[in-house]
């Protein structure tokens, strides 16, 4: 329970001073100016008064027994000592602003350890260090235990950010559009109290309707996954992950001392937990504003109303680009539009009510679309044409929207003289944007949340796998950090029901005929050597071998190239299918990830690969397949034959179960897999499998 942190009864500010530029001073000022409901106690060895409040020399001198929270901004080395006193005083949480801990090297690590040890001895939890602080704008507490500057005002979006600069940015932009926030924290080093604990607390807060988060690295991905997954079925989490590029992630690691490239991992975690990911801060804030005031849409069909053509087209383009569909009106809807709109209005989607439309035209158009069964959300575009009564329009838009559960966003094109219109609409709980694209993106993000929230959750399917057979092979490699031979790797796949062609390994010329009996013709000859990683690049794969003569020739060629001491693998040649890749990668703290993509240039050039956390249920595998950009290539785009998608999902589930059963599989590449039309399971024709 983090009530002591986010709803403290009294707050002590250790390191408060008269210097208006000091952290302690600013924290006192913020607590007082934003109306903290409890008492604030500045602590300063010199005593005196700070901002007209009596300061105490030690927290032990304060005549109050309900100091749940202290903010500490004294020099790092003094922190453990002060915590001893806080312990005696019964303090529950300490926000440590001071820097100079883990991020500065071994000495800092030791100091941090000592600080946490002291705190825990007294049952105190540490928030930070090197952190900004927390806020809770709930009027019941109104606590601003943070040294920053954005004015605090109640709202229903809670913010959790690793970096203070980013957290402030989120808060600032809510403020700039006249909105407040609920809880806020920027958590810094996470030496004790963790991000997932705070997230879980936000999740349980009734006043929080949407959560925005920013992270640079995940200290405990598994804990985050569990906390987030418990929240997203009832409230949205919107997330932005810093360091998506290799260059960016370098900046991250030098910034916080965490050393991981966690891009794919974050993507996989967000997918599993039902978190809505963003790459653009502005887009995330705008989506959060929509989610904090509107219900998620029941489907993806948008209705657009405009009084000017161009922005309507922008709205359509962006909506379609974001995966929304244009709603079609029922006969009844069409009739109502005809009855209520000008003759020159165009009544398709978008409905162009034309620039002379007044408040009643808007009201009728909005009410009509919101009542349409096949419309899941509405965007209203309004350019403040000089011949319209904008105040009356604001009132009628409010009246038309407040009776519906469907989400509405309003896009207003106007200039400063008319900004009261925007204020009126916001006061009516409507998200207001400047550009049609912003509105479309916000609605699309809400739709993505609806899909995540409502997705089918299933247990792992009960598939037959032979754990013992796989174990018997993997046992021989465990602890060696090496690749399995292809034959062994294929045998592991087969134990888990992942299909591959018939094959036989051999290591002397005499083995050739026996292998041919097993593989049959046409067949494929491959070199089997730990030193040859990309076999075909080095002439280690011969395809289309039709008979024994050709096989002998292929063998002679390879023997000349690699020597007769090498081992070889002879495989049945699988019929050409759609080339896919799947893989397993071990990730720190989260277990294994399953990767999936289209083979060839799709993966090499376009890097179109999606990741998911193992093990996968069938719906999760399905989602993974659909997550790649080139999904339509599999589902029969442009008259191509679709592949057997359920069979593909089952194969990915099998791969994921194998990965989860054997965490020592640190790397596995099935490249390529051939997928076939309906009725045929996919076949892995090449595998690389590394066991640690
Ligand atoms: P590498 O990736 O090490 O170069 P592969 O075993 O993947 O070698 O073989 C190269 C290519 O040959 C594959 O991408 C695939 O197109 C084809 N191929 C390999 N094995 C088979 C097989 N058994 N049946 C059909 N095609 C195959
Ligand atoms: Mg290959």
């Amino acid at each position: 329970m983090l009530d002591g942190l986010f709803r403290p009864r009294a707050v002590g500010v250790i390191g408060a001073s008269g210097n208006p530029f000091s952290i302690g001073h600013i924290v006192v000022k913020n607590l007082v100016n934003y109306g903290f409901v409890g008492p604030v106690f500045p602590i300063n060895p010199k005593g005196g008064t700070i901002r007209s409040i009596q300061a105490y020399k030690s927290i032990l001198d304060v005549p109050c027994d309900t100091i749940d929270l202290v903010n500490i901004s004294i020099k790092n080395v003094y922190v453990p000592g002060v915590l001893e006193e806080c312990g005696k005083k019964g303090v529950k949480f300490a926000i440590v602003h001071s820097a100079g801990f883990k991020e500065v090297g071994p000495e800092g690590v030791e100091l941090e350890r000592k600080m946490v040890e002291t705190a825990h001895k007294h049952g105190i939890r540490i928030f930070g260090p090197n952190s900004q602080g927390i806020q809770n704008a709930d009027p019941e507490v109104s606590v601003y235990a943070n040294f920053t500057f954005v004015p605090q005002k109640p709202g229903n979006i809670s913010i959790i950010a690793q970096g203070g600069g980013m957290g402030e940015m989120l808060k600032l932009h809510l403020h700039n559009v006249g909105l407040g926030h609920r809880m806020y924290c920027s958590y810094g080093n996470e030496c004790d109290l963790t991000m997932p604990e705070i997230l879980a607390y936000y999740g349980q807060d009734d006043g929080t309707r949407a959560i925005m988060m920013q992270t640079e690295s995940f200290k405990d991905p598994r804990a985050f996954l569990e906390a987030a997954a418990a929240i997203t079925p009832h409230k949205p989490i919107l997330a932005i992950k810093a360091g998506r590029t290799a260059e960016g992630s370098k900046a991250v690691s030098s910034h916080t001392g965490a050393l991981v490239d966690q891009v794919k991992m974050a993507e996989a975690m967000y997918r599993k937990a039902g978190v809505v990911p963003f790459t653009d801060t502005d887009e995330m804030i705008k989506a959060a504003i929509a989610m904090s005031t509107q219900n998620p849409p029941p489907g993806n069909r948008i209705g657009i109303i405009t009084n000017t053509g161009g922005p309507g087209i922008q709205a359509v383009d962006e909506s379609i680009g974001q995966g929304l569909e244009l709603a079609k009106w029922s006969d009844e809807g069409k009739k109502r539009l005809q009855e209520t709109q000008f003759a020159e209005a165009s009544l398709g989607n978008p409905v162009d009510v034309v620039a002379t439309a007044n408040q009643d035209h808007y009201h009728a158009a909005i009410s009509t679309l919101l009542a349409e069964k096949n419309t899941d959300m509405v965007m209203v575009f309004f350019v403040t044409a000089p011949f319209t009564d904008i105040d009356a329009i604001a009132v009628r838009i409010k009246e038309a929207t407040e009776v519906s559960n469907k989400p509405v966003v309003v896009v207003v094109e106007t200039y400063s003289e008319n900004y009261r219109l925007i204020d009126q609409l916001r006061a009516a709980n409507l998200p207001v944007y400047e550009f049609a694209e912003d509105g479309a993106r916000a609605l699309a993000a809400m739709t993505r949340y609806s899909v995540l929230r409502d997705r089918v959750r299933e247990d792992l399917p009960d598939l037959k796998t032979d754990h013992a057979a796989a174990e018997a092979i993997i046992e021989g490699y465990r602890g060696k950090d090496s690749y399995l031979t292809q034959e062994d790797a294929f045998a592991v796949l087969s134990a888990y029901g992942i299909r591959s062609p018939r094959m036989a390994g051999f290591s002397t010329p005499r083995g050739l005929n026996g292998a041919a009996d097993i593989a049959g013709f046409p067949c494929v000859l491959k070199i089997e050597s730990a030193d040859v990683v990309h076999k075909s690049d080095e002439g280690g794969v011969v395809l289309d071998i039709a008979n024994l003569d050709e096989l002998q020739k292929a063998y002679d060629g390879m023997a000349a190239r690699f020597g007769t001491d090498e081992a070889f693998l002879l495989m049945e040649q699988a019929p050409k299918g759609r080339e896919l890749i799947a893989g397993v990668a071990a990730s720190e703290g989260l277990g294994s990830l399953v990767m999936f993509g289209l083979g060839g240039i799709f993966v090499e050039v376009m890097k179109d690969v999606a990741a998911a956390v193992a093990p996968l249920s069938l719906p999760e595998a399905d989602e993974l397949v659909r997550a790649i950009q080139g999904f339509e290539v599999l589902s029969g785009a442009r008259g191509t034959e679709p592949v057997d998608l359920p069979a593909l999902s089952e194969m990915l589930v099998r791969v994921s179960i194998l990965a989860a059963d054997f965490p020592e599989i640190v790397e596995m590449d099935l490249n390529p897999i051939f997928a076939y039309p309906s009725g045929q399971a996919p076949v892995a024709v090449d595998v690389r499998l590394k066991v640690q």
Side-chain angles (χ1 to χ4, degrees):
M1 245 335 201
L2 306 186
D3 278 352
L5 179 62
F6 285 101
R7 318 183 78 82
R9 290 168 295 175
V11 179
V13 183
I14 300 173
S17 83
N19 172 6
F21 299 111
S22 68
I23 288 182
H25 186 98
I26 297 165
V27 172
V28 170
K29 182 175 90 179
N30 283 341
L31 282 165
V32 172
N33 284 5
Y34 292 102
F36 174 50
V37 296
V40 178
F41 300 106
I43 311 293
N44 184 302
K46 294 194 203 100
T49 58
I50 290 162
R51 297 188 74 88
S52 315
I53 307 173
Q54 185 191 345
Y56 293 86
K57 291 185 176 161
S58 154
I59 192 155
L60 293 171
D61 301 339
V62 179
C64 171
D65 292 327
T66 55
I67 304 178
D68 293 325
L69 174 65
V70 293
N71 284 62
I72 301 178
S73 53
I74 54 176
K75 195 170 158 40
N76 58 355
V77 289
Y78 300 128
V79 174
V82 145
L83 283 170
E84 283 288 353
E85 294 183 1
C86 289
K88 291 187 191 126
K89 195 70 189 164
V91 168
K92 299 190 173 71
F93 290 88
I95 294 171
V96 180
H97 301 296
S98 322
F101 294 90
K102 184 185 86 178
E103 76 281 5
V104 299
E107 251 170 73
V109 170
E110 176 52 25
L111 188 62
E112 191 169 297
R113 195 198 55 75
K114 199 167 150 208
M115 170 175 74
V116 174
E117 189 184 270
T118 312
H120 285 186
K121 196 171 74 189
H122 297 288
I124 300 174
R125 301 291 309 272
I126 305 274
F127 178 91
N130 195 10
S131 73
Q132 241 187 18
I134 65 97
Q135 291 174 235
N136 186 356
D138 178 355
E140 279 181 19
V141 273
S142 196
V143 56
Y144 197 137
N146 183 0
F147 59 76
T148 55
F149 61 89
V150 179
Q152 175 167 294
K153 178 175 151 180
N156 57 15
I157 300 172
S158 286
I159 297 168
I160 179 164
Q162 185 164 359
M166 277 299 295
E168 283 302 302
M169 173 105 59
L170 304 179
K171 200 165 60 166
L172 177 64
H173 283 263
L174 293 179
H175 173 75
N176 285 349
V177 296
L179 295 171
H181 60 82
R182 178 78 172 177
M183 286 181 280
Y184 170 87
C185 81
S186 145
Y187 57 84
N189 279 13
E190 230 181 337
C191 80
D192 177 22
L193 197 64
T194 66
M195 180 267 269
E197 286 178 274
I198 296 164
L199 192 63
Y201 185 76
Y202 284 8
Q204 286 161 7
D205 173 48
D206 288 338
T208 297
R209 205 164 148 184
I211 298 169
M212 273 200 281
M213 62 178 284
Q214 179 267 353
T215 46
E216 292 164 6
S217 55
F218 290 89
K219 198 174 169 207
D220 185 348
R222 184 51 69 177
F224 164 72
L225 178 60
E226 278 162 19
I231 295 169
T232 56
H234 56 99
K235 65 181 78 164
I237 301 177
L238 300 84
I240 202 152
K241 163 82 178 70
R244 276 179 301 118
T245 55
E247 291 81 355
S249 67
K250 233 186 252 160
V252 163
S253 52
S254 56
H255 181 38
T256 55
L259 201 149
V260 258
D261 169 15
Q262 297 176 325
V263 183
K264 279 277 170 247
M265 191 165 117
E267 179 196 316
M269 251 187 324
Y270 291 160
R271 176 165 296 127
K272 188 137 195 144
V275 168
V276 188
F278 291 83
T279 53
D280 184 278
T281 313
D282 180 56
E283 193 179 330
M284 176 168 79
I285 296 169
K286 285 175 173 149
I289 290 169
M291 295 201 208
S292 72
T293 54
Q294 307 292 300
N295 293 315
N300 73 340
R301 297 159 304 181
I302 184 173
I304 301 167
I305 297 164
T306 180
N307 61 348
T308 172
I313 303 170
Q314 290 301 111
V316 170
D317 283 346
E318 189 62 25
S319 298
I320 301 300
Q322 292 277 336
L324 300 178
E325 275 176 49
L326 291 185
K328 294 193 178 64
W329 321 137
S330 66
D331 290 343
E332 209 178 307
K334 281 182 203 156
K335 198 164 144 254
R336 258 208 81 196
L337 288 172
Q338 264 158 14
E339 284 164 7
T340 54
Q341 301 301 320
F342 283 129
E344 63 272 30
S346 83
L347 304 181
N349 193 0
V351 175
D352 187 342
V353 293
V354 305
T356 43
N358 67 23
Q359 55 276 18
D360 295 326
H361 296 106
Y362 262 99
H363 183 275
I366 297 168
S367 320
T368 304
L369 299 204
L370 284 173
E372 282 288 287
K373 227 176 73 218
N374 296 327
T375 302
D376 300 308
M377 64 194 100
V378 171
M379 179 193 304
V380 180
F381 188 93
F382 176 47
V383 54
T384 51
F387 23 83
T388 50
D389 176 347
I390 62 166
D391 299 290
I393 293 226
V395 170
R396 294 294 271 159
I397 291 179
K398 174 179 190 286
E399 285 170 1
T401 53
E402 68 192 358
V403 292
S404 170
N405 281 329
K406 292 177 188 171
V408 177
V409 300
V410 186
V411 182
V412 175
E413 181 180 341
T414 196
Y415 77 126
S416 52
E417 196 123 309
N418 291 331
Y419 280 176
R420 70 178 186 285
L421 166 69
I422 296 173
D423 295 338
Q424 283 157 10
L425 293 168
R426 286 193 177 129
N429 253 334
L430 288 161
V432 183
Y433 306 112
E434 265 178 289
F435 296 101
E437 291 92 327
D438 290 334
R441 282 185 212 123
L443 286 168
M446 290 185 91
T447 311
R448 290 201 291 281
Y449 172 62
S450 293
V451 171
L452 289 167
R453 185 194 58 178
D454 300 337
R455 64 187 165 167
V456 187
R457 289 170 173 81
E458 261 181 29
D459 291 337
L460 294 190
D462 193 13
L463 298 174
K464 217 176 130 260
T465 54
D466 189 345
H467 185 276
E471 169 60 29
I473 298 163
I474 287 175
E475 200 186 3
Y477 292 89
R478 198 172 275 127
K480 293 191 183 146
D481 199 22
S482 66
Y483 287 97
L484 273 63
T485 64
Q486 294 169 71
E487 228 187 331
D488 278 351
F490 277 119
V492 168
L493 295 185
S494 144
Y496 272 68
I498 300 157
R499 290 213 317 154
S500 49
R502 291 189 308 269
M503 71 190 76
F506 62 97
S507 48
T508 64
R510 270 178 295 134
L512 202 57
N513 284 340
D517 285 344
I518 294 171
F521 294 104
C523 63
V524 183
L525 180 65
K526 298 186 185 182
I527 178 79
E528 170 85 86
S529 161
D531 300 331
V532 185
V533 177
H534 299 291
K535 299 181 288 298
S536 36
D537 291 357
E538 299 186 38
V541 177
V542 180
L543 295 163
D544 296 315
I545 301 171
N547 52 47
L548 269 178
D549 273 357
E550 287 182 24
L551 176 57
Q552 188 63 51
K553 259 196 227 123
Y555 176 78
D556 291 343
M558 269 212 217
R561 190 184 296 261
F562 298 103
T564 42
D565 296 343
E566 291 292 348
F568 297 91
L569 185 67
L570 196 65
M571 289 176 94
E572 163 197 11
Q573 181 155 323
K576 257 282 173 244
R578 179 86 56 200
E579 283 203 18
L580 311 175
I581 60 159
V584 169
S587 72
E588 213 176 317
L590 193 62
S592 301
L593 303 185
V594 177
M595 312 285 191
F596 171 73
L598 300 174
I601 59 158
F602 289 100
V603 55
E604 275 152 34
V605 182
M606 286 142 83
K607 314 258 184 276
D608 185 11
V609 177
V613 181
L616 303 175
S617 66
L618 278 166
E620 284 174 331
D622 213 46
E623 214 174 272
L624 177 63
V625 172
R626 280 160 207 275
I628 60 168
Q629 271 145 28
F631 170 69
E632 281 174 31
V633 174
L634 302 178
S635 62
R638 295 198 160 242
T640 53
E641 195 161 12
V643 306
D644 189 332
L645 291 172
L648 177 58
S649 292
E650 186 190 308
M651 178 189 209
L652 291 172
V653 170
R654 289 178 180 281
V655 167
S656 81
I657 295 176
L658 172 62
D661 282 356
F662 294 94
E664 57 270 51
I665 298 180
V666 285
E667 183 189 320
M668 180 163 100
D669 265 311
L670 309 184
N671 182 12
I673 294 162
F674 289 165
Y676 300 109
S678 185
Q680 285 163 270
V683 173
V685 304
D686 185 26
V687 56
R688 267 159 62 77
L689 199 167
K690 189 178 190 186
V691 162
Q692 214 164 43

